[in-house]
Amino acid sequence: MATLLHIDSSLFPEGSASREVTAKFVEAWKEQHPAGTVVYRDLAAQPLPHLDAAAAAAGPDHALRAELAAELEAADAILIGAPMYNFSIPSTLKAWLDHAIIAGHNATPDSAVGKKPFTIVASRGGSYAPGTPREDFEFVQTYLRKLLEGMFGATDIQFIVPELTLAPVKEEMAALRPLAEQSRTQAHEQAAAKAKELAARLAA
């Protein structure tokens, strides 16, 4: 049986684009692999403390860090909901990363974590795609890709990007609503397809 580690970090329990897409992923994963396991952490409902000096010094001997690192290491696939807040990731997600990544323990050149597939739902209210006016404000995909590559040597990283998520509620973005709906539909389709592909591969 394969294990999926599912992390959500959106502040909003309802109406969250990233939560919608990660939920679609999990739904498809369970359909494809009903005997599999899903380990879930909602970092908004149960936020982690910031990493402090004592926890940093203790490394894998710190109870919380050991627990989070163990979940990461035991997973066969990792799904992360990472909405853009102020051009970057939520602070709750940063806290999880700071605790779960332990230099010399799981963050090594030959880390087993680096061999796992990561799927990251990087939602954002506007568009920061290449060629857009705010392309150089995109620090979610850039940061997470560099982090996972640099700390774990990860090579299987897929981003699913529902964008223009504020268009339905902002009148000044009304003209972009068809594009927003197109992006939402595409993100849901990508999530379902990726979940089924991973579940089938990992359960084989």
Side-chain angles (χ1 to χ4, degrees), residues 76-87:
D76 296 291
I78 297 95
L79 171 67
I80 300 174
M84 177 185 280
Y85 293 161
N86 296 324
F87 309 121

Side-chain angles (χ1 to χ4, degrees), residues 142-164:
T142 304
Y143 168 69
L144 290 174
R145 182 179 296 281
K146 292 297 184 184
L147 178 76
L148 297 174
E149 290 175 345
M151 300 305 288
F152 300 126
T155 57
D156 189 349
I157 306 169
Q158 178 171 339
F159 287 94
I160 298 174
V161 186
E163 60 179 13
L164 302 170

Side-chain angles (χ1 to χ4, degrees), residues 54-199:
D61 295 325
H62 186 271
L64 176 59
R65 299 195 74 191
E67 178 184 350
L68 298 174
E71 288 179 353
L72 186 58
E73 292 156 22
D76 296 291
I78 297 95
L79 171 67
I80 300 174
M84 177 185 280
Y85 293 161
N86 296 324
F87 309 121
S88 187
I89 64 172
S91 62
T92 52
L93 179 55
K94 181 62 165 63
W96 177 78
L97 292 165
D98 287 342
H99 280 287
I101 299 173
I102 305 175
H105 177 65
N106 58 14
T108 61
D110 59 348
S111 174
V113 177
K115 299 175 176 61
K116 303 173 188 293
F118 287 83
T119 305
I120 300 170
V121 179
S123 59
R124 60 277 315 271
S127 179
Y128 300 81
T132 61
R134 287 197 163 185
E135 174 184 357
D136 60 348
F137 284 78
E138 201 296 301
F139 299 110
V140 173
Q141 291 171 262
T142 304
Y143 168 69
L144 290 174
R145 182 179 296 281
K146 292 297 184 184
L147 178 76
L148 297 174
E149 290 175 345
M151 300 305 288
F152 300 126
T155 57
D156 189 349
I157 306 169
Q158 178 171 339
F159 287 94
I160 298 174
V161 186
E163 60 179 13
L164 302 170
T165 62
L166 289 176
V169 297
K170 286 188 173 289
E171 285 305 315
E172 62 268 31
M173 296 177 68
L176 297 172
R177 287 171 185 167
L179 289 176
E181 183 57 30
Q182 180 182 340
S183 179
R184 179 181 180 275
T185 299
Q186 183 180 48
H188 282 241
E189 291 173 350
Q190 289 175 334
K194 184 63 176 179
K196 290 179 180 179
E197 181 268 318
L198 282 177

